[in-house]
Amino acid sequence: MNPVIGLGAWTVKVIGAFGRMTSFAVQTAVASMRPFRGRRLVEELYRIGVRSLVIILLSGFVVGGVLGLQGYTSLARFGAEDLLGSGVALILIRELGPVVTSLLVTGRAGSSIAAGIASMNATEQLDGLRMMSVNPLGFVVAPNALAMILAMPLLSALFILSGLLGGYTVGSQLLGVDPGRYLTGIETVTTFEDDVAGSLLKALIFGVLVALISTYHGYTASRNAQGVSDATTNTVVIGSVTTLVVNYFFTALWSS
Amino acid sequence: MTVRDRLGEGDPTGARPATPSGPGTPATILDEEPAHVDALGLRLAYGANKVFDGLSCRFAQGAISCIIGASGSGKSTLLKLIACLIKPDFGDIWVGDQEITCMPESQAMVFRRRIGMLFQAGALLDSMTVFENVALPLREKTRLTEKEIEEEVHLQFEAVGLDKVDKLLPGELSGGMRKRVALARAMITRPEILLVDEPFSGLDPIAVRVVEALLLDLRERTGVTMILVNHDIPSTMRIADQIVFIVGRRTLSGSVEEMQQSEDRRVRAFIDAASPGEIDPSVWQGQESEL
Amino acid sequence: MTNTTIRDLVVGLFVAVGMVAIAYMSFSLGGLSYAGPGGLQIFATFNEIGGLNKRAPVVIGGVKVGQVTRIALDDEYYARIEMDLDARLNLPDDSSAAILTRGLLGNQFISIEPGASEDLLEPGAEISLTEDAVIMERLIGRVISNLGGDGS
Ligand SMILES: Nc1ncnc2c1ncn2[C@@H]1O[C@H](COP(=O)(O)OP(=O)(O)O)[C@@H](O)[C@H]1O
Ligand SMILES: [Mg+2]
């Protein structure tokens, strides 16, 4: 095909997908309010938030440990081990916390949301709901999306604290950095306006994006096993890439 | 007087040939009977795949109508059209005195309260217990108390012959039990029309008879109009008041007797295929171009 | 207890712990408000503050008593620091402030040396005796040039 035509067709396709996603998001937002389904939200918070907790805490701890190890070896050359806390804290809070959490949650919970909704569609459970005059957007999609949006900042904060603990364990317990100075290092260098607010906002934005990507792919999957597996794959790939790209632009804009 | 009796009386010759029906002219004896569901000139295509091209059919009030046809001929699609889950590209569907193809989704939500649907695999919500599944329509659409809901659900369980299943998850049920639970859920809001997609697929012969008896009993008690998709020819012969045969993109319909005596070779082939003996597969070839 | 109640509890716990984590990050680490008693605003002016940060600790004899809340340039291009100290402190008005570094390249902080005057520092007062941050590079540069001077 002529590359110019190809590019044009691709552009039309992408814009169309954006339009459909936006309209899907708006419809879901409307359906989430009438009625608001607190019970369903709790169920999905369990599936999405609680079930992701262990992997988040474990990964956070290990990532923090590696930062402690690498940071220590670099800083010790200049006799600046006291900066270890500051370094670990800044990297975790500003970048790795939200980003790695989003990548992990996309793989763990986003895929499960997509597969769950796609297979409910394939097995006519969504049509079954419509037959009971229940809007599947309100009953299935909205609670999943809301739970994802709520869980992401919470999980990201827990990842960061677990990471700081990992850095502390390696830096202070194994390598001998003074524990008080590690903590002071963290406290001195982090500020709410520059670091923490940005970190939480990032996690929230990732939550919204992953929620939208996973529910949209699940809801629009074709009604067979192939559709379910495509929805899962697309969610993980698109969700992860979106996280990384949006993170770059957010960081660039936030610090300017 | 049952519909079957009326059909018998309304057909003095008993040998009226079932001819392919054109748009708007459903050639059936049911013309004089009050139709509960009336589909006119339906056209529906998925991309290049034209599923219906001017299909018309009517389903009588209070009758058990069976839709038969080859796999992929659009039987499930027809049920979904009647339930307003999908919309045709062209054509009208009248349910009672309401035309449903032009409804916005918000109105369709209200309309669907008149209709119960039993999906092929049950469509029970996997993450909820059997009790929660059946109670859901009441929780959503009525203001009954928890106690009233419980009574109503157990009444429905009793009607479909289920006991002590409240706490089970749908995944823990056998195929026959799933169908019964789904039937209980479909009937709990007392719909005026019940749509049933392949109720007998995947059931052993005894379970088939049990579900048949349930459906007949249900019609007896509630007078609900039933539209069944049913591959099983012997079972269709046992319970149907009316048969709607989808061939090509059109329908042939009539009473069981009419169908049995039909000289249309596609109908014959379908009926003969259900009995022991050789069949001639060539009758099915080229049916698309013929119609 | 039914499964549902247990699950509700677990979800409640998860949300609570997550909120605490966010609060800890915002307030304690991020210093959204200073964790510890404050209320005594004191100023100090320096020629050179080096790498002193907002929220750097203020200590007396090594004990943390407050933090730096603002760093700005005054009209004459001196660095003017605002500190928030524990209001229970009764500091003499001839106390002095110095910017010190923990270790060779560690974090910088302000150390206050209490004076001997009878009069106390009032809220909003200024510490007049200050000692600038030592800039390691300049110090090293001076040492090297001194050595070079000796050699020639
Ligand atoms: N959502 C859909 N997208 C594309 N094609 C579909 C869809 N649903 C049904 N079809 C097509 O419509 C035809 C009729 O399907 P269906 O009603 O399920 O047949 P039946 O129930 O008679 O076996 C089939 O050819 C099927 O491929
Ligand atoms: Mg079917």
Side-chain angles (χ1 to χ4, degrees):
Chain A
M1 205 194 335
N2 181 330
V4 179
I5 295 178
L7 184 67
W10 182 83
T11 314
V12 169
K13 219 175 91 182
V14 167
I15 291 175
F18 265 112
R20 283 192 298 276
M21 260 198 183
T22 312
S23 122
F24 173 79
V26 170
Q27 284 176 25
T28 304
V30 171
S32 72
M33 295 302 150
R34 303 181 311 193
F36 177 74
R37 297 176 186 277
R39 178 116 292 282
R40 291 276 306 117
L41 179 60
V42 171
E43 283 168 19
E44 299 303 346
L45 264 177
Y46 182 81
R47 200 165 68 93
I48 292 163
V50 177
R51 295 269 197 88
S52 304
L53 201 53
V54 173
I55 176 179
I56 287 294
L57 291 179
L58 210 66
S59 309
F61 191 83
V62 178
V63 167
V66 161
L67 289 178
L69 208 57
Q70 289 286 10
Y72 181 84
T73 22
S74 308
L75 292 171
R77 281 191 218 155
F78 312 105
E81 301 95 311
D82 282 2
L83 291 176
L84 186 64
S86 313
V88 172
L90 279 190
I91 295 182
L92 275 175
I93 294 177
R94 288 189 178 171
E95 301 294 334
L96 292 187
V99 171
V100 178
T101 303
S102 177
L103 294 179
L104 289 172
V105 171
T106 303
R108 168 71 185 74
S111 61
S112 137
I113 290 177
I117 296 178
S119 71
M120 284 182 84
N121 197 11
T123 57
E124 299 180 315
Q125 292 181 50
L126 298 186
D127 278 338
L129 284 170
R130 288 191 189 96
M131 287 315 297
M132 294 183 272
S133 306
V134 176
N135 184 351
L137 288 179
F139 195 86
V140 180
V141 174
N144 272 300
L146 276 181
M148 173 63 87
I149 294 169
L150 274 178
M152 193 71 91
L154 302 179
L155 290 171
S156 169
L158 289 168
F159 182 96
I160 290 168
L161 292 192
S162 177
L164 292 176
L165 188 68
Y168 171 85
T169 309
V170 170
S172 298
Q173 303 305 117
L174 299 183
L175 301 174
V177 175
D178 178 57
R181 293 191 179 165
Y182 178 82
L183 192 63
T184 326
I186 297 173
E187 285 182 2
T188 336
V189 81
T190 47
T191 64
F192 181 78
E193 310 86 73
D194 293 344
D195 310 311
V196 180
S199 172
L200 292 174
L201 191 59
K202 249 187 202 180
L204 191 68
I205 292 174
F206 293 160
V208 171
L209 290 173
V210 174
L212 183 58
I213 289 168
S214 56
T215 51
Y216 179 78
H217 282 102
Y219 198 76
T220 54
S222 48
R223 299 181 164 212
N224 47 44
Q226 183 66 44
V228 176
S229 104
D230 287 350
T232 316
T233 314
N234 286 338
T235 297
V236 174
V237 172
I238 298 177
S240 305
V241 172
T242 306
T243 295
L244 295 173
V245 172
V246 169
N247 180 59
Y248 173 81
F249 286 106
F250 186 96
T251 302
L253 289 176
W254 185 259
S255 42
S256 68
Chain B
M1 192 164 75
T2 68
V3 175
R4 193 187 297 260
D5 294 335
R6 277 183 279 153
L7 283 171
E9 284 166 13
D11 185 18
T13 64
R16 179 173 167 176
T19 50
S21 53
T25 58
T28 156
I29 201 99
L30 290 170
D31 273 350
E32 315 87 76
E33 302 293 332
H36 201 169
V37 177
D38 200 347
L40 295 166
L42 297 181
R43 284 161 199 261
L44 178 69
Y46 286 111
N49 176 12
K50 284 187 190 166
V51 184
F52 299 134
D53 194 5
L55 175 131
S56 296
C57 53
R58 330 179 62 185
F59 299 93
Q61 177 103 38
I64 295 184
S65 308
C66 285
I67 303 172
I68 45 183
S71 297
S73 58
K75 302 180 296 298
S76 304
T77 306
L78 184 55
L79 288 192
K80 285 185 184 170
L81 281 167
I82 296 170
C84 206
L85 287 173
I86 50 178
K87 303 238 151 98
D89 300 332
F90 292 103
D92 298 338
I93 300 172
W94 289 85
V95 175
D97 50 9
Q98 208 171 8
E99 206 289 310
I100 63 168
T101 58
C102 298
M103 281 182 181
E105 181 61 18
S106 56
Q107 233 175 307
M109 282 281 182
V110 180
F111 160 73
R112 290 193 199 109
R113 291 185 205 174
R114 295 167 57 188
I115 302 206
M117 185 148 178
L118 177 50
F119 289 89
Q120 200 165 339
L124 300 173
L125 295 163
D126 290 332
S127 55
M128 291 184 166
T129 64
V130 165
F131 179 88
E132 295 294 331
N133 260 289
V134 179
L136 185 64
L138 297 182
R139 295 238 160 93
E140 288 291 327
K141 294 300 154 203
T142 66
R143 298 196 176 281
L144 298 181
T145 63
E146 203 48 35
K147 199 163 144 31
E148 287 166 327
I149 288 177
E150 205 176 312
E151 272 170 22
E152 188 65 32
V153 170
H154 286 137
L155 209 67
Q156 288 297 333
F157 279 162
E158 206 178 309
V160 295
L162 285 173
D163 193 21
K164 301 202 184 82
V165 290
D166 287 18
K167 293 261 177 322
L168 297 178
L169 289 172
E172 300 166 335
L173 301 177
S174 70
M177 280 165 90
R178 285 176 75 94
K179 295 240 154 94
R180 290 195 225 178
V181 174
L183 186 59
R185 188 177 73 174
M187 288 308 294
I188 200 160
T189 48
R190 303 175 201 275
E192 57 186 84
I193 298 174
L194 181 65
L195 306 173
V196 190
D197 199 352
E198 305 203 11
F200 308 119
S201 66
L203 297 190
D204 63 69
I206 297 171
V208 167
R209 296 304 282 262
V210 171
V211 175
E212 270 178 29
L214 275 176
L215 292 175
L216 286 170
D217 170 63
L218 197 66
R219 200 266 306 260
E220 203 65 36
R221 279 189 296 118
T222 61
V224 65
T225 299
M226 278 193 205
I227 303 176
L228 269 60
V229 168
N230 190 358
H231 271 314
D232 189 315
I233 298 295
S235 149
T236 301
M237 298 302 177
R238 282 194 294 270
I239 62 172
D241 300 314
Q242 179 201 357
I243 294 177
V244 173
F245 200 137
I246 302 185
V247 256
R249 296 170 198 131
R250 307 288 175 80
T251 56
L252 303 169
S253 49
S255 67
V256 173
E257 290 82 2
E258 284 173 322
M259 279 297 168
Q260 272 171 334
Q261 284 152 23
S262 166
E263 269 144 36
D264 187 286
R265 57 199 187 87
R266 291 157 306 208
V267 178
R268 285 253 57 86
F270 217 91
I271 293 174
D272 292 345
S275 55
E278 291 293 307
I279 60 154
D280 173 16
S282 67
V283 284
W284 288 101
Q285 280 157 17
Q287 54 158 300
E288 305 276 326
S289 52
E290 216 174 283
L291 290 168
Chain C
M1 243 190 323
T2 65
N3 283 344
T4 324
T5 352
I6 295 175
R7 196 197 48 211
D8 289 359
L9 265 176
V10 173
V11 170
L13 211 65
F14 164 68
V15 174
V17 170
M19 296 297 251
V20 168
I22 289 180
Y24 180 73
M25 228 165 74
S26 307
F27 292 102
S28 194
L29 299 187
L32 192 54
S33 77
Y34 167 54
L40 178 60
Q41 248 71 40
I42 298 289
F43 295 89
T45 306
F46 298 88
N47 293 316
E48 172 64 66
I49 60 166
L52 188 76
N53 279 325
K54 209 169 142 186
R55 305 218 321 105
V58 179
V59 304
I60 297 177
V63 179
K64 186 173 175 185
V65 295
Q67 65 180 342
V68 173
T69 48
R70 199 154 50 151
I71 298 175
L73 272 184
D74 72 6
D75 300 339
E76 288 149 30
Y77 301 109
Y78 289 113
R80 191 171 155 82
I81 305 294
E82 186 193 72
M83 295 170 268
D84 185 32
L85 305 184
D86 187 344
R88 291 167 301 187
L89 289 174
N90 294 319
L91 286 176
D93 66 356
D94 60 345
S95 302
S96 63
I99 297 176
L100 303 180
T101 306
R102 220 176 250 142
L104 199 57
L105 290 168
N107 298 314
Q108 282 172 312
F109 62 99
I110 294 185
S111 176
I112 295 179
E113 190 82 22
S117 165
E118 298 281 286
D119 300 324
L120 300 180
L121 278 174
E122 297 297 320
E126 172 122 12
I127 294 181
S128 43
L129 293 169
T130 61
E131 189 183 316
D132 288 345
V134 175
I135 306 296
M136 201 54 65
E137 295 87 329
R138 289 192 198 156
L139 203 63
I140 294 170
R142 213 177 305 154
V143 169
I144 290 175
S145 75
N146 283 352
L147 290 176
D150 280 358
S152 65

